[in-house]
Amino acid sequence: MIRLVVALLAIYATSAHSEYLYGLTGNMAGAGHTWGMNIGPSGSQSLKINGVFYQYTPTKNTEDDMLVHVRNKRVGGGYIFSSTDDWSGLQGGIPITKGFVIDNLPIELWGDGSIDIEGTGSVVDANVIYSYKYNNDCLTPMSDPSCSGYIDAVLSMMGESKVEVYDPLADENIADVIDDKAELDEDVQQEDEEKAEAKDRLQRMLSGVNDSILYANVSSQNLLMFAMSRNNNLNPYYDKKLSGGTYKETVVLDGGQLPDNKKGARAGLAQQILHTKMVNSQYEPKE
Amino acid sequence: MKNLLIAVVLLASSTSVLAADTPIVGNVQTRCLITTDTNGVFGNPLPSKLSTASADGGVVPVVRYDVTLADAYLAKVTTPTAFSASPSLSDSVTWTGSTAVSKTSDAAMSGYEAAKVTYGSTTQFDLTKAGSTWFSSTATAVYGVSKSFPGGSYTAIVLAECIAK
């Protein structure tokens, strides 16, 4: 577990980005020709010197030899910054000013600063200023993963504090909420089923109505089609016309005499007799 | 006549083809840069006097010369002899001024001040060392004979030049 945390913290630390803040010191040589390097905001981490500017006015006789060293000791020996002005044979009285760009050297390497004079003469109105940059996020190691000591601080905090595993299912409040939610879900599900059933009934009813309407439509359409076809079928007969218009008598009475049909007369008389007989039979008294 | 004309035309066209312009290009890197370090301000200690001296309530103008090639340039600084802008003046103005080395970036430049040459309102410095040199100029203007300057804005110019030796 701890290995995983360390790995994640290391990855996060390498990917994290922090911005630098920049600043200038005051005149470090204002109180004398030696000074300490307690610069920057209190407790600031990753402070780096990126510039040195100095100015002073030499006081000397022109014929005197004088070297002026403006420098800082390096922690561990030597000088981390040194600039020498050779005023030998030169007149004083005119201020000299110089500026140097420093390659972001950590403050931990910078020892005390000083203006040292070799020869005869002095320096007045000295002004030494350092420019620096720092990362304010590292005032406390845990404020930024990029700060040195971040991982150690996190692990230290984990070791010092009692780690309690939190089981959310054991929390009564959460259990109550889960139960309430389950009941609510059940109610909602039941309500949904009722709605679905009502909807189904409604759909079936609407389906019957739709069938009746459809049947009625089909019947009416059939009647309409029948009427239309009937009309179409009868109209040709109404429009039918006989050709010619006059049919003349073509039967010719042979001999000029039309004799009685005796056979017909006999059949007619027999029918008449039978008819009379039938008519009279209804008036005859019944036995 | 016709043949002669054709010959002249051919001759002219052939000579024009032979002509060519060949450019020569070169860049000169700036080795003397003049920068206004501080703008001057006139103080008005007396009604008839305008002065850049700090004692008179003014601000001394400072100009900086950045030279990257030693012993190659002269610095010429000319203090003003007239206002470049002012209210209408009906009387004469008497100008005085001076220029001095106010700051250097190299101890070896300390001799500039002693070696300067002054003529008229112009002060000339021999820039024998590479580096930066700050020159400050004072300028004082007195109007008439103790005559009050008219109210308004007054502007004067300090001319700084870098002359190649």
Side-chain angles (χ1 to χ4, degrees):
Chain A
M1 177 64 182
I2 291 179
R3 288 182 180 177
L4 177 61
V5 171
V6 171
L8 292 175
L9 291 176
I11 294 171
Y12 180 44
T14 54
S15 62
H17 173 72
S18 58
E19 294 183 355
Y20 279 100
L21 302 175
Y22 295 85
L24 290 172
T25 67
N27 180 13
M28 303 297 285
H33 287 177
T34 59
W35 57 90
M37 292 297 287
N38 297 320
I39 64 177
S42 176
S44 58
Q45 301 291 315
S46 304
L47 192 145
K48 296 174 182 176
I49 303 294
N50 57 13
V52 179
F53 310 92
Y54 71 78
Q55 179 177 322
Y56 64 86
T57 302
T59 302
K60 64 183 291 290
N61 296 319
T62 302
E63 64 274 15
D64 292 337
D65 293 336
M66 184 175 78
L67 295 177
V68 177
H69 307 285
V70 180
R71 53 196 178 189
N72 279 88
K73 292 180 180 177
R74 184 189 186 96
V75 174
Y79 293 97
I80 194 170
F81 169 77
S82 180
S83 175
T84 300
D85 301 316
D86 186 359
W87 294 95
S88 300
L90 300 174
Q91 69 180 58
I94 296 177
I96 184 173
T97 182
K98 286 187 174 179
F100 299 88
V101 176
I102 307 298
D103 191 19
N104 298 311
L105 297 177
I107 190 63
E108 291 80 7
L109 300 176
W110 291 74
D112 291 343
S114 64
I115 297 177
D116 301 321
I117 299 171
E118 292 183 44
T120 303
S122 62
V123 166
V124 296
D125 298 333
N127 194 342
V128 180
I129 296 173
Y130 296 88
S131 67
Y132 56 87
K133 68 177 187 179
Y134 64 100
N135 186 349
N136 203 29
D137 295 339
C138 293
L139 288 176
T140 60
M142 289 187 63
S143 59
D144 194 300
S146 63
C147 299
S148 60
Y150 175 79
I151 296 176
D152 293 339
V154 172
L155 293 178
S156 175
M157 183 194 70
M158 292 177 64
E160 292 174 358
S161 60
K162 182 181 178 182
V163 179
E164 295 181 356
V165 178
Y166 174 73
D167 184 6
L169 296 178
D171 192 323
E172 292 182 358
N173 295 326
I174 294 179
D176 292 341
V177 171
I178 291 174
D179 292 340
D180 292 342
K181 188 174 186 304
E183 292 178 0
L184 182 62
D185 291 342
E186 189 175 353
D187 294 341
V188 170
Q189 185 177 1
Q190 186 176 359
E191 188 176 348
D192 290 342
E193 289 177 354
E194 291 176 354
K195 286 182 178 178
E197 189 177 353
K199 185 178 180 181
D200 186 48
R201 287 199 302 270
L202 180 60
Q203 284 181 343
R204 279 183 290 174
M205 184 173 68
L206 291 175
S207 175
V209 172
N210 288 336
D211 290 343
S212 300
I213 294 173
L214 182 62
Y215 180 74
N217 287 337
V218 171
S219 299
S220 61
Q221 285 180 355
N222 287 337
L223 291 173
L224 182 59
M225 290 298 294
F226 178 74
M228 290 171 65
S229 60
R230 184 182 181 187
N231 188 35
N232 289 335
N233 292 333
L234 288 176
N235 280 339
Y237 292 97
Y238 294 146
D239 294 337
K240 197 70 175 179
K241 293 182 179 179
L242 296 175
S243 58
T246 302
Y247 291 87
K248 294 181 178 178
E249 182 64 48
T250 59
V251 179
V252 177
L253 184 60
D254 188 15
Q257 290 181 352
L258 184 61
D260 294 334
N261 188 359
K262 295 179 179 177
K263 187 178 180 180
R266 284 194 298 269
L269 180 60
Q271 288 291 326
Q272 182 63 40
I273 293 170
L274 180 58
H275 178 73
T276 303
K277 187 178 179 181
M278 288 174 64
V279 171
N280 293 330
S281 65
Q282 62 184 332
Y283 298 106
E284 293 176 356
K286 294 180 180 180
E287 296 177 356
Chain B
M1 181 61 185
K2 189 175 182 181
N3 292 335
L4 177 61
L5 184 60
I6 293 173
V8 169
V9 169
L10 289 176
L11 185 61
S13 62
S14 62
T15 53
S16 63
V17 170
L18 293 175
D21 295 329
T22 303
I24 299 174
V25 179
N27 293 318
V28 177
Q29 186 178 4
T30 301
R31 294 186 173 85
C32 181
L33 181 64
I34 302 173
T35 306
T36 299
D37 188 79
T38 306
N39 288 318
V41 177
F42 277 123
N44 190 201
L46 298 171
S48 60
K49 185 179 180 181
L50 291 173
S51 173
T52 60
S54 58
D56 294 332
V59 175
V60 176
V62 178
V63 63
R64 188 186 78 233
Y65 282 69
D66 297 324
V67 174
T68 57
L69 185 62
D71 204 16
Y73 295 97
L74 296 174
K76 291 174 65 177
V77 183
T78 303
T79 55
T81 56
F83 291 112
S84 60
S86 69
S88 178
L89 301 174
S90 59
D91 205 338
S92 63
V93 178
T94 302
W95 286 89
T96 57
S98 64
T99 302
V101 177
S102 63
K103 201 161 55 177
T104 66
S105 65
D106 194 320
M109 297 176 180
S110 61
Y112 284 1
E113 179 65 21
K116 71 180 181 182
V117 177
T118 302
Y119 49 94
S121 59
T122 301
T123 305
Q124 180 176 295
F125 300 88
D126 191 356
L127 305 179
T128 58
K129 302 295 179 184
S132 299
T133 310
W134 287 257
F135 299 101
S136 58
S137 298
T138 60
T140 303
V142 177
Y143 188 42
V145 181
S146 299
K147 192 173 184 179
S148 297
F149 275 111
S153 178
Y154 291 79
T155 304
I157 301 296
V158 173
L159 178 62
E161 301 169 276
C162 192
I163 309 296
K165 288 201 270 186

